[in-house]
Amino acid sequence: MYLGPRLRRLRRELGLTQQAMADDLEISASYVALLERNQRPVTADMLLRLARTYRLEIADIASEDGEDYARRLAEVLRDPIFADIDLPALEVSDLAMSFPGISEALLRLHGAYTREQQALAEQRAAGPGADENEPVREAQRFLGARRNYFHPLDMRAEELAAEIEQAGGASAWLAAKGVRVRSLPPDVMMGALRRFDRHNQQLLLDDTLDAPSRTFHIATHIAHTALRADIKQVLRVESFASRTTATLLLRALAAYGAGAIVMPYARFARAVEQRSYDIEALCGLFGASFEQVAHRLTTLQRPGEERVPFFFLRIDEAGNVSKRLDGAGFPFAAHGGGCPLWSVHQVFRRPGEIHRQWLELPSGERYFSIARTVTSAGGGLGRPRVMRAVALACAADQAGRLAYVTGEEAGREAPTPIGVTCRLCHRPECAARSVPPIGRDILADDYRRGAQPYAFAES
């Protein structure tokens, strides 16, 4: 079976180089190139590898291109920029079936248009000094391309968790390695929450840390030491534009490893299903904080043991995004979070309460989200506490598995129309818009002014 164009498209959709796909499939990059040029057939074994590695249905990989083109064209044509054009489904299907080359050209053109819009929106939002943040975006792209799941790291962390449990806890496990855990007052720690004294082989912790934070800091130290080789191996597959990116990813993957130690995959995944994704219940079961559990939920994508894919966002009261994790490839993963209609921006009014919301993007895709405030720092008189908001979002068709949605409610509650960001949202009726969308001319309001801050041309 020759599936060259389909394989090439799959690789691009996954954001992989030929070398990265070759590593995933345990073949050579030159063989991937031959497959993509239809100079080698895709064998049954290779089909199984593709399906298993990228969690795809074999039928989807091997289906006719025409059907796939029709589906993808239909998705593209839901873009609001085409809203005033009559596009019958039969005509779209005829185009896909009869002219696959033109279909592919149109899809590439729209893809390029979308990427340019996103880049321009990001550039305008970042403003002066945007280059300083480039390592952060590069690190986010690295994590997002892998759906925030790192199989070797997760497996090794699960083994460590079993060893730690058998030893009687993390402190006892470290003691067996010759490391003593001590809690010291903040004035002795001199601003540090965690510090490793290599000379005396002591892990020093701020004694005002709450129990979940203390547990997580110990697990983070274990990840930085016992999982260091595994983390380096994950980072070795790609080169980065700056050393800062590698440093950020080292920190992110150590936190990932710590979460996997505190909440081992198999046990956590079972508990997630048993408690219907009730985050507060999971906090009690694993001795973790709300944010730690929410973070861990984005990583449950182990092949054959997948759970609901989530997108995670953390913002401060000014709307600055300080953490963005994508376990599902959501369209607003790269830029989302800026829409004021999303309840994650409103939870500061009622701290500690969980806000539920159904969402709909301009393309028609629907999601369900929960949001709540979390706090950090503090721990003593005069020590400031920082309040942030975190949100988890999943596809609407998965929301029925969550404790936060009743069977009667699923699909019946009207969704809130939101946009990825104002610059990329073409909803003409939005009264909450801060800036007009890219590529639309603003209409004068000499004779008519609507409730919306901007009126713009249809094309």
Side-chain angles (χ1 to χ4, degrees):
M1 182 182 298
Y2 291 91
L3 299 171
R6 177 172 296 280
L7 186 61
R8 185 185 305 112
R9 187 167 62 250
L10 170 64
R11 177 174 60 79
R12 288 173 176 170
E13 288 173 352
L14 293 170
L16 300 175
T17 62
Q18 288 184 340
Q19 184 61 58
M21 175 172 272
D23 291 341
D24 289 346
L25 299 175
E26 299 180 348
I27 57 178
S28 67
S30 59
Y31 190 65
V32 172
L34 291 173
L35 290 172
E36 290 187 353
R37 292 198 296 267
N38 275 342
Q39 292 179 348
R40 292 289 186 277
V42 176
T43 63
D45 176 66
M46 187 56 61
L47 268 179
L48 289 172
R49 287 196 203 184
L50 286 164
R52 184 171 56 249
T53 303
Y54 301 117
R55 301 189 291 282
L56 300 169
E57 295 291 334
I58 291 178
D60 292 339
I61 302 173
S63 61
E64 289 295 325
D65 275 350
E67 295 177 6
D68 184 54
Y69 277 133
R71 175 186 60 79
R72 293 169 63 211
L73 280 172
E75 290 176 358
V76 163
L77 294 173
R78 283 202 294 268
D79 190 311
I81 200 170
F82 303 121
D84 61 328
I85 305 175
D86 184 24
L87 297 165
L90 184 59
E91 290 185 12
V92 175
S93 179
D94 285 346
L95 174 65
M97 295 293 182
S98 303
F99 305 100
I102 294 177
S103 299
E104 178 66 24
L106 289 173
L107 290 169
R108 289 188 188 183
L109 186 62
H110 185 267
Y113 158 77
T114 302
R115 287 190 296 274
E116 286 300 315
Q117 275 204 322
Q118 290 175 344
L120 185 55
E122 186 173 329
Q123 183 181 11
R124 291 185 181 179
D131 288 345
E132 297 175 5
N133 296 322
E134 183 55 33
V136 175
R137 293 197 295 273
E138 189 179 16
Q140 288 173 346
R141 286 195 295 270
F142 179 88
L143 297 172
R146 290 150 183 83
R147 303 290 174 87
N148 200 36
Y149 176 72
F150 300 88
H151 188 69
L153 194 55
D154 220 300
M155 295 294 288
R156 177 62 186 133
E158 194 165 27
E159 293 173 4
L160 274 175
E163 293 177 19
I164 290 168
E165 185 176 16
Q166 189 174 8
S171 295
W173 186 87
L174 283 171
K177 306 291 183 184
V179 177
R180 180 187 176 194
V181 179
R182 296 182 62 196
S183 295
L184 298 174
D187 57 334
V188 178
M189 293 294 291
M190 296 184 294
L193 297 177
R194 180 189 76 248
R195 183 166 66 86
F196 183 52
D197 180 351
R198 292 180 179 275
H199 179 71
N200 294 306
Q201 288 294 290
Q202 293 181 345
L203 177 61
L204 309 177
L205 301 173
D206 186 319
D207 65 6
T208 63
L209 290 171
D210 58 26
S213 296
R214 175 184 167 84
T215 299
F216 199 81
H217 274 293
I218 295 175
T220 301
H221 171 75
I222 293 174
H224 272 300
T225 51
L227 293 176
R228 194 170 192 83
D230 302 272
I231 293 173
K232 293 283 189 181
Q233 184 61 39
V234 170
L235 297 178
R236 200 171 290 131
V237 301
E238 192 164 327
S239 58
F240 303 106
S242 73
R243 186 176 299 176
T244 300
T245 302
T247 301
L248 289 171
L249 285 170
L250 177 64
R251 186 170 71 175
L253 292 177
Y256 179 103
I261 290 170
V262 174
M263 294 164 274
Y265 196 102
R267 187 153 59 92
F268 186 71
R270 285 195 302 270
V272 159
E273 289 295 336
Q274 292 166 357
R275 302 304 173 106
S276 301
Y277 296 82
D278 183 338
I279 296 178
E280 290 169 317
L282 294 168
C283 290
L285 283 174
F286 290 90
S289 70
F290 189 93
E291 183 177 345
Q292 289 164 7
V293 171
H295 188 297
R296 183 61 170 149
L297 285 172
T298 68
T299 69
L300 299 184
Q301 298 302 309
R302 179 177 292 180
E305 301 177 60
E306 298 93 338
R307 296 298 186 265
V308 173
F310 285 102
F311 167 71
F312 174 95
L313 187 79
R314 187 181 71 187
I315 64 169
D316 62 20
E317 293 186 71
N320 299 306
V321 177
S322 55
K323 188 183 289 186
R324 181 185 279 121
L325 298 166
D326 180 25
F330 290 143
F332 52 92
H335 306 273
C339 184
L341 299 178
W342 191 2
S343 64
V344 67
H345 298 280
Q346 300 154 20
V347 296
F348 295 103
R349 302 171 190 169
R350 302 176 72 176
E353 291 188 15
I354 293 178
H355 292 235
R356 307 175 308 130
Q357 188 180 30
W358 295 90
L359 308 170
E360 183 177 78
L361 292 179
S363 61
E365 295 168 289
R366 293 189 175 188
Y367 300 92
F368 176 78
S369 86
I370 59 171
R372 204 200 82 166
T373 57
V374 295
T375 57
S376 61
L381 183 64
R383 303 183 72 185
R385 300 184 72 83
V386 178
M387 182 180 292
R388 298 184 178 93
V390 298
L392 276 177
C394 71
D397 60 3
Q398 297 279 351
R401 299 170 64 180
L402 277 55
Y404 305 99
V405 177
T406 63
E408 296 77 19
E409 178 189 13
R412 291 177 56 186
E413 189 171 329
T416 301
I418 72 165
V420 175
T421 173
C422 288
R423 286 292 189 188
L424 299 178
C425 179
H426 292 262
R427 295 185 191 275
E429 70 282 359
C430 181
R433 179 182 295 282
S434 61
V435 291
I438 293 172
R440 305 293 286 274
D441 292 331
I442 303 302
L443 300 178
D445 59 358
D446 311 36
Y447 299 99
R448 181 183 183 278
R449 172 62 192 268
Q452 300 78 22
Y454 300 97
F456 39 85
E458 292 181 350
S459 61

CSV table of all heavy atoms in Angstrom, one decimal, residues 103-144:
chain,number,residue,atom,x,y,z
A,103,SER,N,-7.2,20.6,-4.0
A,103,SER,CA,-7.6,20.6,-2.5
A,103,SER,C,-6.4,20.7,-1.6
A,103,SER,O,-6.4,21.5,-0.7
A,103,SER,CB,-8.3,19.2,-2.3
A,103,SER,OG,-9.5,19.1,-3.0
A,104,GLU,N,-5.3,20.0,-2.0
A,104,GLU,CA,-4.1,20.1,-1.1
A,104,GLU,C,-3.5,21.5,-1.2
A,104,GLU,O,-3.1,22.1,-0.2
A,104,GLU,CB,-3.1,19.1,-1.6
A,104,GLU,CG,-1.7,19.1,-0.9
A,104,GLU,CD,-1.9,18.7,0.6
A,104,GLU,OE1,-2.8,18.0,0.9
A,104,GLU,OE2,-1.0,19.1,1.3
A,105,ALA,N,-3.6,22.1,-2.4
A,105,ALA,CA,-3.1,23.5,-2.5
A,105,ALA,C,-3.9,24.5,-1.7
A,105,ALA,O,-3.3,25.4,-1.0
A,105,ALA,CB,-3.1,23.9,-4.0
A,106,LEU,N,-5.2,24.3,-1.7
A,106,LEU,CA,-6.0,25.2,-0.9
A,106,LEU,C,-5.8,25.0,0.6
A,106,LEU,O,-5.7,26.0,1.4
A,106,LEU,CB,-7.5,25.0,-1.2
A,106,LEU,CG,-8.0,25.4,-2.6
A,106,LEU,CD1,-9.4,25.0,-2.8
A,106,LEU,CD2,-7.9,26.9,-2.7
A,107,LEU,N,-5.6,23.8,1.0
A,107,LEU,CA,-5.3,23.5,2.4
A,107,LEU,C,-4.0,24.1,2.9
A,107,LEU,O,-3.9,24.7,4.0
A,107,LEU,CB,-5.4,22.0,2.7
A,107,LEU,CG,-6.7,21.3,2.6
A,107,LEU,CD1,-6.6,19.8,2.6
A,107,LEU,CD2,-7.7,21.7,3.7
A,108,ARG,N,-3.0,24.0,2.0
A,108,ARG,CA,-1.7,24.6,2.4
A,108,ARG,C,-1.8,26.1,2.4
A,108,ARG,O,-1.2,26.7,3.3
A,108,ARG,CB,-0.7,24.2,1.3
A,108,ARG,CG,-0.3,22.7,1.4
A,108,ARG,CD,0.9,22.4,0.4
A,108,ARG,NE,1.2,21.0,0.3
A,108,ARG,CZ,2.2,20.5,-0.4
A,108,ARG,NH1,3.0,21.3,-1.0
A,108,ARG,NH2,2.4,19.2,-0.5
A,109,LEU,N,-2.5,26.7,1.5
A,109,LEU,CA,-2.7,28.1,1.5
A,109,LEU,C,-3.4,28.6,2.7
A,109,LEU,O,-2.9,29.6,3.4
A,109,LEU,CB,-3.5,28.5,0.2
A,109,LEU,CG,-3.6,30.1,0.0
A,109,LEU,CD1,-2.2,30.7,-0.2
A,109,LEU,CD2,-4.5,30.3,-1.2
A,110,HIS,N,-4.4,27.9,3.1
A,110,HIS,CA,-5.1,28.3,4.4
A,110,HIS,C,-4.3,28.1,5.6
A,110,HIS,O,-4.3,28.9,6.5
A,110,HIS,CB,-6.4,27.6,4.5
A,110,HIS,CG,-7.3,28.0,5.7
A,110,HIS,ND1,-7.2,27.4,6.9
A,110,HIS,CD2,-8.2,29.0,5.8
A,110,HIS,CE1,-8.0,28.1,7.8
A,110,HIS,NE2,-8.6,29.0,7.1
A,111,GLY,N,-3.5,27.0,5.6
A,111,GLY,CA,-2.6,26.8,6.7
A,111,GLY,C,-1.5,27.9,6.8
A,111,GLY,O,-1.2,28.3,7.9
A,112,ALA,N,-1.0,28.3,5.6
A,112,ALA,CA,0.0,29.4,5.7
A,112,ALA,C,-0.6,30.7,6.1
A,112,ALA,O,-0.1,31.5,6.9
A,112,ALA,CB,0.6,29.6,4.3
A,113,TYR,N,-1.9,31.0,5.7
A,113,TYR,CA,-2.6,32.2,6.1
A,113,TYR,C,-2.8,32.1,7.6
A,113,TYR,O,-2.6,33.2,8.3
A,113,TYR,CB,-3.9,32.2,5.4
A,113,TYR,CG,-5.0,33.0,6.0
A,113,TYR,CD1,-5.0,34.4,5.9
A,113,TYR,CD2,-6.1,32.4,6.7
A,113,TYR,CE1,-6.0,35.1,6.5
A,113,TYR,CE2,-7.1,33.1,7.3
A,113,TYR,CZ,-7.1,34.5,7.2
A,113,TYR,OH,-8.1,35.2,7.8
A,114,THR,N,-3.2,31.0,8.2
A,114,THR,CA,-3.5,30.9,9.6
A,114,THR,C,-2.2,31.1,10.4
A,114,THR,O,-2.2,31.8,11.4
A,114,THR,CB,-4.1,29.5,9.9
A,114,THR,OG1,-5.3,29.3,9.2
A,114,THR,CG2,-4.4,29.4,11.4
A,115,ARG,N,-1.1,30.5,9.9
A,115,ARG,CA,0.2,30.6,10.7
A,115,ARG,C,0.7,32.1,10.6
A,115,ARG,O,1.2,32.6,11.6
A,115,ARG,CB,1.2,29.7,10.0
A,115,ARG,CG,1.0,28.2,10.4
A,115,ARG,CD,2.2,27.4,10.0
A,115,ARG,NE,2.5,27.4,8.5
A,115,ARG,CZ,1.9,26.6,7.7
A,115,ARG,NH1,1.0,25.7,8.1
A,115,ARG,NH2,2.2,26.7,6.4
A,116,GLU,N,0.5,32.8,9.5
A,116,GLU,CA,0.9,34.2,9.4
A,116,GLU,C,0.0,35.0,10.3
A,116,GLU,O,0.5,35.9,11.0
A,116,GLU,CB,0.8,34.6,8.0
A,116,GLU,CG,1.9,34.1,7.0
A,116,GLU,CD,3.3,34.5,7.5
A,116,GLU,OE1,3.5,35.7,7.9
A,116,GLU,OE2,4.1,33.6,7.5
A,117,GLN,N,-1.3,34.7,10.4
A,117,GLN,CA,-2.1,35.5,11.3
A,117,GLN,C,-1.7,35.3,12.7
A,117,GLN,O,-1.6,36.2,13.5
A,117,GLN,CB,-3.6,35.0,11.1
A,117,GLN,CG,-4.3,35.7,10.0
A,117,GLN,CD,-5.8,35.7,10.3
A,117,GLN,OE1,-6.4,34.7,10.7
A,117,GLN,NE2,-6.5,36.8,9.9
A,118,GLN,N,-1.4,34.0,13.1
A,118,GLN,CA,-1.0,33.8,14.4
A,118,GLN,C,0.3,34.5,14.8
A,118,GLN,O,0.5,35.0,15.9
A,118,GLN,CB,-0.9,32.3,14.6
A,118,GLN,CG,-2.2,31.5,14.6
A,118,GLN,CD,-2.0,30.0,14.7
A,118,GLN,OE1,-0.9,29.5,14.5
A,118,GLN,NE2,-3.1,29.3,15.1
A,119,ALA,N,1.3,34.4,13.9
A,119,ALA,CA,2.6,35.0,14.1
A,119,ALA,C,2.4,36.5,14.2
A,119,ALA,O,3.0,37.2,15.1
A,119,ALA,CB,3.5,34.7,12.9
A,120,LEU,N,1.6,37.1,13.4
A,120,LEU,CA,1.4,38.6,13.5
A,120,LEU,C,0.7,39.0,14.8
A,120,LEU,O,1.0,40.0,15.4
A,120,LEU,CB,0.5,39.0,12.2
A,120,LEU,CG,0.3,40.5,12.1
A,120,LEU,CD1,1.7,41.3,12.1
A,120,LEU,CD2,-0.5,40.8,10.8
A,121,ALA,N,-0.3,38.2,15.2
A,121,ALA,CA,-1.0,38.4,16.4
A,121,ALA,C,-0.1,38.3,17.6
A,121,ALA,O,-0.1,39.2,18.5
A,121,ALA,CB,-2.2,37.5,16.6
A,122,GLU,N,0.8,37.3,17.6
A,122,GLU,CA,1.7,37.1,18.6
A,122,GLU,C,2.7,38.3,18.7
A,122,GLU,O,3.1,38.8,19.8
A,122,GLU,CB,2.5,35.8,18.4
A,122,GLU,CG,3.4,35.4,19.6
A,122,GLU,CD,4.0,34.0,19.4
A,122,GLU,OE1,3.3,33.2,18.8
A,122,GLU,OE2,5.1,33.8,19.9
A,123,GLN,N,3.2,38.7,17.5
A,123,GLN,CA,4.1,39.8,17.4
A,123,GLN,C,3.5,41.1,18.0
A,123,GLN,O,4.2,41.9,18.7
A,123,GLN,CB,4.6,40.0,16.0
A,123,GLN,CG,5.7,41.1,15.8
A,123,GLN,CD,6.0,41.3,14.4
A,123,GLN,OE1,5.4,40.7,13.5
A,123,GLN,NE2,7.1,42.0,14.1
A,124,ARG,N,2.3,41.4,17.6
A,124,ARG,CA,1.7,42.6,18.1
A,124,ARG,C,1.4,42.6,19.6
A,124,ARG,O,1.5,43.6,20.3
A,124,ARG,CB,0.4,42.8,17.3
A,124,ARG,CG,0.6,43.2,15.8
A,124,ARG,CD,-0.7,43.5,15.1
A,124,ARG,NE,-0.5,43.9,13.7
A,124,ARG,CZ,-1.5,44.2,12.9
A,124,ARG,NH1,-2.7,44.2,13.3
A,124,ARG,NH2,-1.2,44.5,11.6
A,125,ALA,N,1.0,41.4,20.0
A,125,ALA,CA,0.7,41.2,21.5
A,125,ALA,C,1.9,41.3,22.3
A,125,ALA,O,1.9,41.9,23.4
A,125,ALA,CB,0.0,39.9,21.7
A,126,ALA,N,3.0,40.8,21.8
A,126,ALA,CA,4.3,40.8,22.5
A,126,ALA,C,4.9,42.2,22.7
A,126,ALA,O,5.3,42.6,23.7
A,126,ALA,CB,5.3,39.9,21.9
A,127,GLY,N,4.8,43.0,21.6
A,127,GLY,CA,5.3,44.3,21.6
A,127,GLY,C,6.8,44.4,21.7
A,127,GLY,O,7.5,43.4,21.5
A,128,PRO,N,7.4,45.5,22.1
A,128,PRO,CA,8.8,45.7,22.3
A,128,PRO,C,9.4,44.7,23.3
A,128,PRO,O,8.8,44.3,24.3
A,128,PRO,CB,9.0,47.1,22.8
A,128,PRO,CG,7.7,47.8,22.4
A,128,PRO,CD,6.7,46.8,22.5
A,129,GLY,N,10.6,44.2,23.0
A,129,GLY,CA,11.2,43.2,23.9
A,129,GLY,C,10.7,41.8,23.7
A,129,GLY,O,11.0,40.9,24.6
A,130,ALA,N,10.0,41.5,22.6
A,130,ALA,CA,9.4,40.2,22.5
A,130,ALA,C,10.5,39.1,22.4
A,130,ALA,O,10.3,38.0,22.8
A,130,ALA,CB,8.5,40.1,21.2
A,131,ASP,N,11.7,39.5,21.8
A,131,ASP,CA,12.7,38.5,21.7
A,131,ASP,C,13.1,37.9,23.0
A,131,ASP,O,13.6,36.8,23.1
A,131,ASP,CB,13.9,39.1,21.0
A,131,ASP,CG,13.7,39.4,19.5
A,131,ASP,OD1,12.7,38.8,19.0
A,131,ASP,OD2,14.4,40.2,18.9
A,132,GLU,N,12.9,38.6,24.1
A,132,GLU,CA,13.3,38.1,25.4
A,132,GLU,C,12.5,36.9,25.8
A,132,GLU,O,12.9,36.1,26.6
A,132,GLU,CB,13.2,39.3,26.5
A,132,GLU,CG,14.1,40.5,26.2
A,132,GLU,CD,13.8,41.6,27.2
A,132,GLU,OE1,13.0,41.4,28.1
A,132,GLU,OE2,14.4,42.6,27.1
A,133,ASN,N,11.3,36.8,25.3
A,133,ASN,CA,10.4,35.7,25.6
A,133,ASN,C,10.5,34.6,24.7
A,133,ASN,O,9.8,33.6,24.8
A,133,ASN,CB,8.9,36.2,25.7
A,133,ASN,CG,8.7,37.3,26.7
A,133,ASN,OD1,9.3,37.2,27.8
A,133,ASN,ND2,7.9,38.3,26.4
A,134,GLU,N,11.3,34.7,23.7
A,134,GLU,CA,11.4,33.6,22.7
A,134,GLU,C,11.7,32.2,23.3
A,134,GLU,O,11.1,31.2,22.9
A,134,GLU,CB,12.4,34.0,21.6
A,134,GLU,CG,12.5,33.0,20.4
A,134,GLU,CD,11.2,32.7,19.8
A,134,GLU,OE1,10.3,33.6,19.7
A,134,GLU,OE2,10.9,31.6,19.3
A,135,PRO,N,12.6,32.1,24.2
A,135,PRO,CA,12.9,30.8,24.8
A,135,PRO,C,11.6,30.2,25.4
A,135,PRO,O,11.5,29.0,25.4
A,135,PRO,CB,14.0,31.1,25.9
A,135,PRO,CG,14.7,32.3,25.3
A,135,PRO,CD,13.6,33.1,24.7
A,136,VAL,N,10.8,31.0,26.0
A,136,VAL,CA,9.5,30.5,26.6
A,136,VAL,C,8.7,29.9,25.6
A,136,VAL,O,8.1,28.8,25.7
A,136,VAL,CB,8.8,31.6,27.4
A,136,VAL,CG1,7.4,31.1,27.9
A,136,VAL,CG2,9.6,32.1,28.5
A,137,ARG,N,8.5,30.6,24.4
A,137,ARG,CA,7.6,30.1,23.4
A,137,ARG,C,8.3,28.8,22.7
A,137,ARG,O,7.5,27.9,22.4
A,137,ARG,CB,7.4,31.2,22.3
A,137,ARG,CG,6.6,32.3,22.8
A,137,ARG,CD,6.1,33.1,21.6
A,137,ARG,NE,7.1,33.8,20.9
A,137,ARG,CZ,7.7,35.0,21.2
A,137,ARG,NH1,7.2,35.6,22.2
A,137,ARG,NH2,8.6,35.5,20.5
A,138,GLU,N,9.6,28.8,22.6
A,138,GLU,CA,10.2,27.6,22.1
A,138,GLU,C,10.0,26.4,23.0
A,138,GLU,O,9.8,25.3,22.5
A,138,GLU,CB,11.7,27.9,21.9
A,138,GLU,CG,12.5,26.8,21.1
A,138,GLU,CD,13.9,27.1,20.9
A,138,GLU,OE1,14.5,28.0,21.5
A,138,GLU,OE2,14.5,26.4,20.0
A,139,ALA,N,10.1,26.6,24.3
A,139,ALA,CA,9.9,25.5,25.2
A,139,ALA,C,8.5,25.1,25.2
A,139,ALA,O,8.2,23.9,25.2
A,139,ALA,CB,10.2,26.0,26.6
A,140,GLN,N,7.5,26.0,25.0
A,140,GLN,CA,6.1,25.6,24.9
A,140,GLN,C,5.8,24.8,23.7
A,140,GLN,O,5.1,23.8,23.7
A,140,GLN,CB,5.2,26.9,24.9
A,140,GLN,CG,5.1,27.6,26.3
A,140,GLN,CD,4.4,28.9,26.2
A,140,GLN,OE1,4.2,29.4,25.2
A,140,GLN,NE2,4.0,29.4,27.4
A,141,ARG,N,6.5,25.2,22.6
A,141,ARG,CA,6.3,24.4,21.3
A,141,ARG,C,6.9,23.0,21.5
A,141,ARG,O,6.3,22.0,21.0
A,141,ARG,CB,7.0,25.1,20.2
A,141,ARG,CG,6.3,26.4,19.7
A,141,ARG,CD,6.8,26.8,18.3
A,141,ARG,NE,8.2,27.2,18.4
A,141,ARG,CZ,8.6,28.5,18.6
A,141,ARG,NH1,7.7,29.4,18.8
A,141,ARG,NH2,9.9,28.8,18.7
A,142,PHE,N,8.0,22.9,22.2
A,142,PHE,CA,8.6,21.5,22.4
A,142,PHE,C,7.6,20.7,23.2
A,142,PHE,O,7.4,19.5,22.8
A,142,PHE,CB,9.9,21.7,23.1
A,142,PHE,CG,10.6,20.4,23.4
A,142,PHE,CD1,11.5,19.8,22.5
A,142,PHE,CD2,10.4,19.7,24.6
A,142,PHE,CE1,12.1,18.6,22.8
A,142,PHE,CE2,11.0,18.5,24.9
A,142,PHE,CZ,11.9,18.0,24.0
A,143,LEU,N,7.1,21.2,24.2
A,143,LEU,CA,6.1,20.4,25.1
A,143,LEU,C,4.8,20.1,24.3
A,143,LEU,O,4.3,19.0,24.4
A,143,LEU,CB,5.8,21.2,26.4
A,143,LEU,CG,7.0,21.4,27.3
A,143,LEU,CD1,6.6,22.4,28.4
A,143,LEU,CD2,7.6,20.1,27.9
A,144,GLY,N,4.3,21.1,23.6
A,144,GLY,CA,3.1,21.0,22.9
A,144,GLY,C,3.2,19.9,21.7
A,144,GLY,O,2.2,19.2,21.5
